[in-house]
Amino acid sequence: MEMGINIGLDIGAISLKLAALGRPGDRPILEALCATHPQFRMTEMGGRPLVLSEYRRIAGSPIQSTYDLLQEFYEIVPETQVEGIRVTGSGSRTIAKVLGLFFENEFKAIARMMGAVYPQVRTVFEIGGESSKYIRLEGGSIMDYDRSGECAAGTGSFLDQQALRMQYSVEEVGGIVGTAKSAARIAGRCSVFAKSDMIHAQQKGYSPAEILRGLCDAVARNFKSSIVKGRPVEAPVALIGAVSQNAGVVGALREAFALSDADLLTPEEYAWCGAIGTAILEAEEHRKRSILQIHRLRQHDSEEKVQDTEPLSTENVVQLRDRVGVYVAPPKGDPIPAYIGLDIGSVSTNVAVIDESGTVIHDVYLRTAGRPIEAVQQGLAEVESIWGKRLKVCGVGTTGSGRELIAEFVGADAVNDENHGAQNRRHPHQQHAGRRAGGHHLRNRRAGFQVHLHRERCGGGFRHERSLRGGHRLVPGGAGREARISIKGEFAKLALSSDSPTRLGERCTVFMERDVTGWLHKGETVPNLVAGLSYSIALNYLNRVVRGRKIGKVIYFQGGTAYNDAVTAAFASLLGKKITVPPYNGVMGAIGMALIARQWHQATGAASRFRGYDLHKLRLATRDFVCKACSNLCDMKQFDIEDRRATGAISARTSSGNRR
């Protein structure tokens, strides 16, 4: 009987899967393969033997992983007995080029497998490591389809990273979620925002099970809104991809799409659909691509890095933060007329105090950590402990995403958005200011200025989240050691010492972590990687916020990220221009609001509404509820403060409030 084994390889961003479809006469050799190598298992498809490999993580080295897997296969199966081989998946194009193989479309491969094995399926949901897909089938043909973009929201990597933050493996999540009686509200749009929501949920007392259940709900909501986008979902629905093994996500998808247990099935071949479909197509189509010399793959087992990224240098960086002295109070003990500015953002809360001449008396830069009220209290307490007895507060201003809510707490006299706050403290010749922490792009234009805030709902690159979680990250070092990198000081020192920064591009923080791990496995040095991360942050800002708009000749870099000299150097290198980091770069918005509060006082002469430094003395009542004014169903908190009421979203990523 004619023999011929057809191989389908699905090489994704995270994993590698092989399917080998033989003819009846190939059964003995395939059985011998499975008996010798337990990483392969035998099954059947239409009377033909089908061998599937284990689900193998590629650890950032797709070519090496593919070589290892094929080498194991060919130890038992002669190359001459393989009739054809075809590849599919997001990580397979390089291998297809190296070996001269045919690359198969992933949607076509999945649809072919479903038509052959599960012909009753009408809709396919796939949630993999780095991508998600929606496919609607009819008679084995694709009627409609869509996939996720470069954002990691709702992918397996997203779920994996968030679970690890709570010190759980992704495999444990399903069982834990089953014990939850309720769910915390977690953002599914971005890993950075999800982290903030998870921190806030922990602070509110939600259990790990409730937070993880909220995370699974977020994955399902994101899949419905970002991938399916209102398209028909006809049962039966097949859920495939690695995330299909998470019972929490499966339950959340059933609820989100109102599917019964019978309507949503998880195939036994949940991770091998693309590989099986590719093997079937290779067997059916006449055009073949055979591997006759596997050593061709061995010759390309290490990808070479493109050496076109310049080493970082501070030559074009002008640092002004150290050129201001300590404030010296007037010699007499008279009260100092003062103005307080508060900038309450999702990442940081900043307090600045100025005198009548606009000189900064004191500044405080704090992490908001999902608790803006507590952060403001801490900042005010520091001001009081040092200057409280000398200051006569004549005006208070608030800005940032939490400006309205905090204005009621502190008794603010002026409330402005952060762009007006930042603009009020600038160099007289400043033409462009990049406010990194909030993703802003300001450009003076004669009497006014342009403001661009669009960042496509992506938090990647706007914080030091890139594989350096929580300010620190343990990364493999030499000889099995680990290197602990601190964001403050050490990160920049390492990056500036690099002679060949790694070219990482601009990616979602979730995917960037995987890329960094892959480079570490290839032996890349830590200095080169952190230098590459600095370039990545700058590229992300320029491409997602500035987006081709004109940049002036005099550039000021402000915001919390400007404390990192390596990122500043990356901007200077990419733009080929001098970058100035102004004094008080982290609290510019707060200083601007203090100046606005001074303008208010000078114009009105009125007494300030400032309630005092100790917010704990206020009569306060709170109530939590869900706002149903739109489909977002935001968690809200109502504050009754003394004689006034304020309501704001309690998500740490918004920290917003509106007076009512």
Side-chain angles (χ1 to χ4, degrees):
M1 181 176 292
E2 182 184 0
M3 294 186 292
I5 298 171
N6 288 279
I7 296 175
L9 279 171
D10 184 356
I11 308 164
I14 302 296
S15 62
L16 167 67
K17 288 84 61 179
L18 177 147
L21 180 63
R23 293 176 177 149
D26 299 310
R27 190 180 302 276
I29 193 69
L30 293 176
E31 288 177 342
L33 171 69
C34 296
T36 306
H37 294 302
Q39 62 266 38
F40 296 100
R41 61 185 174 91
M42 175 81 79
T43 184
E44 297 282 329
M45 193 182 72
R48 301 174 65 179
L50 175 66
V51 168
L52 302 178
S53 72
E54 64 183 348
Y55 179 93
R56 181 170 297 191
R57 289 183 178 267
I58 63 176
S61 301
I63 293 180
Q64 180 63 52
S65 299
T66 302
Y67 172 83
D68 292 342
L69 183 59
L70 288 175
Q71 185 72 20
E72 294 163 8
F73 185 87
Y74 283 124
E75 283 179 6
I76 305 299
V77 180
E79 288 188 38
T80 55
Q81 203 158 340
V82 175
E83 186 179 27
I85 184 167
R86 189 174 294 195
V87 295
T88 192
S90 60
S92 63
R93 291 188 180 273
T94 299
I95 292 172
K97 183 178 180 180
V98 168
L99 296 178
L101 299 175
F102 186 81
F103 171 80
E104 187 57 74
N105 178 276
E106 297 171 73
F107 289 96
K108 183 179 177 182
I110 293 171
R112 184 66 190 88
M113 183 274 182
M114 287 294 162
V117 185
Y118 299 96
Q120 75 275 22
V121 168
R122 291 292 174 266
T123 307
V124 178
F125 292 168
E126 182 187 44
I127 306 180
E130 277 205 6
S131 66
S132 300
K133 299 182 185 70
Y134 158 85
I135 310 173
R136 187 162 62 87
L137 302 171
E138 188 172 307
S141 299
I142 298 176
M143 304 304 295
D144 197 3
Y145 67 94
D146 204 350
R147 72 182 305 159
S148 59
E150 294 184 358
C151 178
T155 65
S157 295
F158 167 86
L159 189 63
D160 191 29
Q161 189 183 82
Q162 310 315 314
L164 285 174
R165 281 183 174 137
M166 299 191 66
Q167 299 182 353
Y168 291 102
S169 69
V170 71
E171 292 80 11
E172 295 176 297
V173 171
I176 295 171
V177 165
T179 66
K181 296 181 180 180
S182 62
R185 185 76 177 182
I186 307 296
R189 297 287 302 179
C190 175
S191 70
V192 178
F193 298 152
K195 175 186 176 182
S196 297
D197 283 355
M198 291 168 69
I199 291 172
H200 195 72
Q202 287 175 309
Q203 292 167 341
K204 289 192 66 183
Y206 282 99
S207 69
E210 292 168 334
I211 294 172
L212 291 173
R213 179 175 172 182
L215 185 62
C216 292
D217 289 346
V219 170
R221 286 197 313 272
N222 183 75
F223 187 86
K224 184 175 183 179
S225 63
S226 301
I227 311 300
V228 179
K229 300 175 183 175
R231 295 182 177 91
V233 175
E234 300 179 20
V237 177
L239 175 60
I240 64 174
V243 178
S244 67
Q245 301 307 290
N246 186 302
V249 174
V250 174
L253 286 169
R254 283 200 182 101
E255 184 175 339
F257 290 95
L259 298 170
S260 67
D261 290 351
D263 290 337
L264 184 65
L265 64 98
T266 301
E268 182 182 353
E269 308 85 356
Y270 65 92
W272 292 265
C273 296
I276 294 171
T278 299
I280 295 172
L281 290 167
E282 179 67 11
E284 292 175 339
E285 297 178 359
H286 297 296
R287 188 180 184 186
K288 303 296 180 182
R289 296 291 186 274
S290 297
I291 291 184
L292 299 178
Q293 296 177 319
I294 192 174
H295 69 270
R296 293 178 60 194
L297 188 60
R298 181 61 175 172
Q299 292 170 352
H300 296 80
D301 64 350
S302 62
E303 300 90 338
E304 292 187 2
K305 186 176 65 170
V306 179
Q307 302 287 348
D308 61 350
T309 306
E310 293 293 326
L312 293 171
S313 170
T314 57
E315 182 180 356
N316 282 329
V317 174
V318 180
Q319 292 285 1
L320 300 181
R321 73 167 77 102
D322 298 325
R323 299 189 187 182
V324 291
V326 177
Y327 182 81
V328 179
K332 296 182 180 180
D334 296 336
I336 304 171
Y339 305 88
I340 298 176
L342 300 167
D343 184 356
I344 308 96
S346 58
V347 178
S348 67
T349 293
N350 312 306
V351 182
V353 185
I354 66 172
D355 64 14
E356 286 189 304
S357 68
T359 302
V360 175
I361 298 174
H362 194 81
D363 66 289
V364 187
Y365 182 94
L366 299 165
R367 290 285 179 180
T368 303
R371 308 180 72 174
I373 298 172
E374 288 83 346
V376 169
Q377 175 64 82
Q378 182 181 345
L380 291 176
E382 179 176 323
V383 173
E384 182 183 29
S385 66
I386 299 173
W387 295 99
K389 295 180 179 179
R390 290 293 309 272
L391 300 183
K392 177 185 178 183
V393 178
C394 300
V396 178
T398 61
T399 188
S401 57
R403 59 188 179 273
E404 296 283 357
L405 183 61
I406 297 302
E408 290 302 327
F409 272 90
V410 301
D413 308 297
V415 181
N416 285 85
D417 63 55
E418 49 266 51
N419 306 301
H420 289 84
Q423 189 213 14
N424 271 271
R425 181 73 175 183
R426 67 174 189 271
H427 191 281
H429 302 295
Q430 179 181 346
Q431 291 180 308
H432 182 279
R435 180 177 169 119
R436 291 285 302 114
H440 299 242
H441 163 213
L442 308 179
R443 182 161 66 86
N444 286 352
R445 197 163 186 173
R446 294 186 180 177
F449 61 97
Q450 291 183 339
V451 182
H452 305 292
L453 295 169
H454 187 53
R455 63 177 181 184
E456 300 175 339
R457 295 188 180 183
C458 175
F462 292 90
R463 310 174 192 181
H464 290 168
E465 180 74 15
R466 303 281 202 194
S467 305
L468 297 156
R469 287 179 275 187
H472 298 85
R473 168 67 170 164
L474 293 177
V475 296
R481 295 174 298 169
E482 289 185 328
R484 187 175 178 84
I485 300 174
S486 170
I487 285 293
K488 295 183 178 179
E490 188 179 3
F491 183 104
K493 183 178 180 181
L494 286 170
L496 291 169
S497 72
S498 166
D499 58 0
S500 180
T502 311
R503 189 176 180 85
L504 295 170
E506 45 164 332
R507 296 264 275 161
C508 171
T509 176
V510 177
F511 298 158
M512 185 64 74
E513 178 164 354
R514 191 216 70 194
D515 293 346
V516 168
T517 301
W519 280 111
L520 286 167
H521 289 163
K522 296 172 191 175
E524 183 60 288
T525 67
V526 172
N528 287 349
L529 281 170
V530 293
L533 290 170
S534 301
Y535 270 114
S536 177
I537 293 170
L539 278 169
N540 188 298
Y541 177 82
L542 293 173
N543 292 336
R544 295 179 186 270
V545 180
V546 180
R547 299 175 62 176
R549 298 180 178 93
K550 183 179 179 181
I551 296 177
K553 295 180 180 179
V554 180
I555 305 171
Y556 268 42
F557 181 22
Q558 62 190 56
T561 308
Y563 288 119
N564 190 318
D565 293 341
V567 178
T568 310
F571 273 110
S573 176
L574 291 169
L575 296 173
K577 300 178 180 181
K578 285 190 179 294
I579 304 291
T580 300
V581 178
Y584 312 109
N585 58 275
V587 297
M588 295 289 277
I591 294 174
M593 278 314 304
L595 291 168
I596 290 174
R598 185 184 65 170
Q599 291 174 354
W600 166 84
H601 178 69
Q602 291 173 345
T604 65
S608 175
R609 294 177 56 239
F610 183 50
R611 296 182 187 273
Y613 297 102
D614 190 354
L615 302 183
H616 295 118
K617 295 180 179 179
L618 300 177
R619 295 197 313 273
L620 176 67
T622 65
R623 179 176 72 90
D624 294 341
F625 65 96
V626 176
C627 176
K628 299 181 180 179
C630 71
S631 60
N632 287 337
L633 300 178
C634 295
D635 292 325
M636 306 293 290
K637 183 179 284 289
Q638 176 181 298
F639 298 88
D640 289 317
I641 309 163
E642 299 291 336
D643 57 344
R644 296 177 67 87
R645 172 170 295 178
T647 305
I650 60 176
S651 166
R653 59 190 160 89
T654 56
S655 303
S656 62
N658 295 291
R659 288 176 290 185
R660 291 186 177 179

